[in-house]
Amino acid sequence: MPHSPTSPPVTYSHMPVLHLTIFISLLLAGIFIVCFAAEAWRKKGGGTDRAALLPLLEDDEVKKSTKDNIDSL
């Protein structure tokens, strides 16, 4: 809507909410990256995937020893 010559022009102030949102987003992204890197560095030899597969390794060992026992008879 055009303004009349007698009314002052519309000026928009900076949007501090947008700046705050971007700052918080970057802060959370930084925290995530630091935590992810620390977790990856701390658990180089394993993790949840390896821990989830450990029961399968035990089953394989039992099957192997059972097969070895049957073969030796």
Side-chain angles (χ1 to χ4, degrees):
M1 182 163 87
H3 61 83
S4 66
T6 58
S7 66
V10 178
T11 58
Y12 295 103
S13 64
H14 285 68
M15 298 184 354
V17 174
L18 181 62
H19 294 152
L20 185 63
T21 303
I22 291 172
F23 174 73
I24 291 174
S25 299
L26 291 174
L27 184 67
L28 289 174
I31 290 171
F32 170 76
I33 290 170
V34 168
C35 290
F36 181 82
E39 186 70 17
W41 179 75
R42 188 171 64 105
K43 292 188 175 184
K44 286 187 178 181
T48 55
D49 295 339
R50 180 175 166 84
L53 294 174
L54 285 176
L56 295 176
L57 291 176
E58 292 171 4
D59 289 343
D60 289 343
E61 291 173 4
V62 170
K63 287 178 186 176
K64 182 180 178 185
S65 65
T66 305
K67 183 181 177 197
D68 291 341
N69 289 340
I70 292 172
D71 290 341
S72 64
L73 294 176

